[in-house]
Amino acid sequence: MKLTLFRITSVFVSIALIIISAIHSFNGDLHVVYPVNDVSIYEIDTYHEELDSNWSEAAFSFDRQKRINFKYKLTTAREEPFAAFYFRDADIESKILDISNYNKISIFFQSKKAQRIPITLRFHNKTINLNKKFPEISITKVIDYKGPGVYEIPLNEFEIAAWWLRYHGIEKEQIDLSKVTELKYLAIGSCQALQPGEEDEIIIDQVIFKHSDNLFYWVLISLIFLNGGINIYLYQRKRKKKNNQPLVVRPIEIEHKETANEKLKNFKIYIGRNYQNSELTMYIVQKELKLSANELRNLLKDELDTTFKNYLKKIRLTEVKRLLKESDLTISEIAYKCGFNDIPYFNRVFKAETGKNPKDYKSDLNN
């Protein structure tokens, strides 16, 4: 009965999407990237890391419902394997669309193992002169996958890809994203939390750019919410039957000796309780502890001979090393739970701290 209800609802929502999308196309409020009647307007393919051999496997196909099935298996030949499925205009010099009139992207996902799915939008670069390859500007948003359904992502939540900034040696403030509008390429990547050697499949049923200020849009959202709610309900019912691993990240008590400096004591306690927050900044700590920037910098320099960034990094790595020893979580899961939201950066700072990459460190603990 539940499966039948799910199918009926999915068919109803799909039909509604087609009808409303057609109506909106006259007003310029929706742009349907997929599904389309003629997929030859795109170059559609998969890609993976560049290696001489033993790269990640990636392929795609269409099922009977014309949904895209992106299947991949991550290689064990490197620490940070990846694969992705992408759309690009068949005319490589052209663009998929100009996103100036849109403020959201709507994508249907269904996956077996995925937890964090990155979406990458690549744009024609008209804002800054770059001498290196890959001049197109890439922005990324990682979706926390909660179960099959439609995910609505505001475009202002996308950020310039960290690898792209590092590669070109520039700061994100140098790019004016309001001028980045000509979309040339859209990619859906492999789960960032998946272990090398694992296989997964991501089903993509719709990719739509939209603008929210429209009556038809709210009707569409209502239908999507209904469909997503049923999917989430069924997904959660299924998950209740399984034993989920509890969250094992815990506050760190770092007061090993008495200190007469109450400000320092309060600072240590606050960091020990909040280091898991990947958005934690020096400004937030100043505000919470009612300290000025100079006051906090001098406190750390005089009392601990360190900086805010280095101190926070040290505390996060302390908990990372404990979890590598005591838990069965994956390395990526541990990094995210301890406040690191950039895996390549996490790998670098961990190796600088311990002299080993996380994988080798964990392997040595188990031997």
Side-chain angles (χ1 to χ4, degrees):
M1 179 63 184
K2 289 180 180 178
L3 185 58
T4 301
L5 178 60
F6 166 71
R7 288 175 176 171
I8 292 174
T9 304
S10 296
V11 170
F12 173 70
V13 171
S14 298
I15 294 172
L17 284 172
I18 294 172
I19 294 174
I20 296 175
S21 297
I23 295 173
H24 277 229
S25 64
F26 290 103
N27 298 323
D29 294 318
L30 289 181
H31 181 93
V32 180
V33 176
Y34 190 84
V36 291
N37 291 328
D38 182 12
V39 294
S40 66
I41 64 173
Y42 300 120
E43 175 189 329
I44 298 179
D45 208 343
T46 59
Y47 67 89
H48 47 69
E49 64 284 310
E50 294 182 6
L51 291 172
D52 294 334
S53 62
N54 297 323
W55 50 74
S56 295
E57 300 172 13
F60 76 95
S61 61
F62 298 96
D63 62 18
R64 292 183 180 180
Q65 298 173 326
K66 296 185 177 180
R67 302 181 305 177
I68 298 166
N69 291 14
F70 165 44
K71 297 182 179 180
Y72 60 92
K73 180 179 180 180
L74 298 179
T75 181
T76 57
R78 60 178 295 168
E79 286 187 36
E80 301 166 21
F82 66 88
F85 167 84
Y86 71 87
F87 296 92
R88 181 163 60 187
D89 195 285
D91 180 0
I92 295 178
E93 298 302 319
S94 185
K95 61 179 182 290
I96 295 177
L97 81 156
D98 189 314
I99 67 164
S100 300
N101 296 324
Y102 309 99
N103 57 16
K104 288 186 178 182
I105 183 172
S106 173
I107 303 182
F108 174 92
F109 286 123
Q110 180 177 333
S111 182
K112 296 179 179 179
K113 298 181 180 179
Q115 300 174 43
R116 293 173 59 83
I117 303 175
I119 303 172
T120 297
L121 305 179
R122 190 177 296 172
F123 296 86
H124 182 63
N125 177 19
K126 291 184 176 180
T127 63
I128 188 170
N129 292 324
L130 299 171
N131 297 323
K132 293 185 177 182
K133 296 179 180 179
F134 311 114
E136 295 173 340
I137 296 174
S138 292
I139 62 175
T140 302
K141 170 67 177 177
V142 179
I143 303 302
D144 289 323
Y145 182 74
K146 305 298 183 182
V150 175
Y151 290 75
E152 297 267 326
I153 309 108
L155 293 179
N156 62 11
E157 291 187 3
F158 282 75
E159 296 184 348
I160 300 178
W163 71 264
W164 189 88
L165 291 171
R166 290 195 300 270
Y167 177 79
H168 290 288
I170 60 177
E171 300 294 330
K172 65 180 180 180
E173 289 77 14
Q174 294 178 250
I175 306 295
D176 183 359
L177 287 181
S178 66
K179 297 180 181 178
V180 178
T181 60
E182 294 186 2
L183 180 66
K184 298 190 67 176
Y185 177 100
L186 186 152
I188 296 165
S190 53
C191 173
Q192 291 187 345
L194 210 62
Q195 285 286 73
E198 290 195 73
E199 297 182 12
D200 191 22
E201 175 182 4
I202 298 176
I203 296 174
I204 306 147
D205 194 23
Q206 71 171 50
V207 180
I208 300 174
F209 285 85
K210 58 177 64 175
H211 193 280
S212 60
D213 298 329
N214 190 280
L215 176 60
F216 287 108
Y217 171 77
W218 293 112
V219 174
L220 181 62
I221 285 294
S222 298
L223 294 173
I224 291 172
F225 181 78
L226 173 63
N227 187 48
I230 292 174
N231 277 283
I232 292 172
Y233 170 76
L234 295 178
Y235 178 75
Q236 290 178 338
R237 284 290 298 272
K238 182 178 180 181
R239 288 196 65 182
K240 285 181 180 178
K241 298 178 181 179
K242 299 180 179 180
N243 293 322
N244 295 323
Q245 186 170 13
L247 182 65
V248 293
V249 176
R250 66 190 184 193
I252 294 179
E253 296 298 334
I254 51 181
E255 283 295 311
H256 299 301
K257 60 181 180 180
E258 293 296 325
T259 175
N261 193 323
E262 285 298 317
K263 292 180 180 179
L264 179 62
K265 181 178 180 180
N266 291 337
F267 169 79
K268 288 184 174 183
I269 292 173
Y270 185 86
I271 296 298
R273 293 174 179 174
N274 295 277
Y275 67 92
Q276 306 99 321
N277 178 9
S278 63
E279 303 298 324
L280 187 63
T281 64
M282 185 172 171
Y283 175 76
I284 292 174
V285 176
Q286 291 173 225
K287 186 176 179 182
E288 290 295 323
L289 299 182
K290 297 180 173 56
L291 297 172
S292 68
N294 286 336
E295 214 174 354
L296 183 52
R297 289 193 189 98
N298 292 336
L299 181 69
L300 292 171
K301 182 179 180 181
D302 296 339
E303 298 288 342
L304 301 176
D305 192 27
T306 188
T307 63
F308 174 84
K309 181 178 179 181
N310 287 337
Y311 186 86
L312 179 60
K313 180 173 62 178
K314 179 180 179 181
I315 295 304
R316 285 173 171 167
L317 289 175
T318 297
E319 182 67 354
V320 165
K321 287 185 280 188
R322 185 186 73 82
L323 292 178
L324 287 172
K325 181 179 180 180
E326 299 178 7
S327 81
D328 293 324
L329 295 172
T330 66
I331 291 172
S332 295
E333 286 174 330
I334 290 173
Y336 289 126
K337 290 181 184 298
C338 292
F340 293 97
N341 59 5
D342 185 331
I343 299 302
Y345 170 76
F346 162 70
N347 287 330
R348 287 199 306 275
V349 299
F350 187 93
K351 189 169 185 178
E353 170 75 11
T354 65
K356 300 177 181 179
N357 62 48
K359 183 178 180 181
D360 291 340
Y361 185 93
K362 185 175 180 68
S363 178
D364 289 347
L365 289 174
N366 294 330
N367 291 334

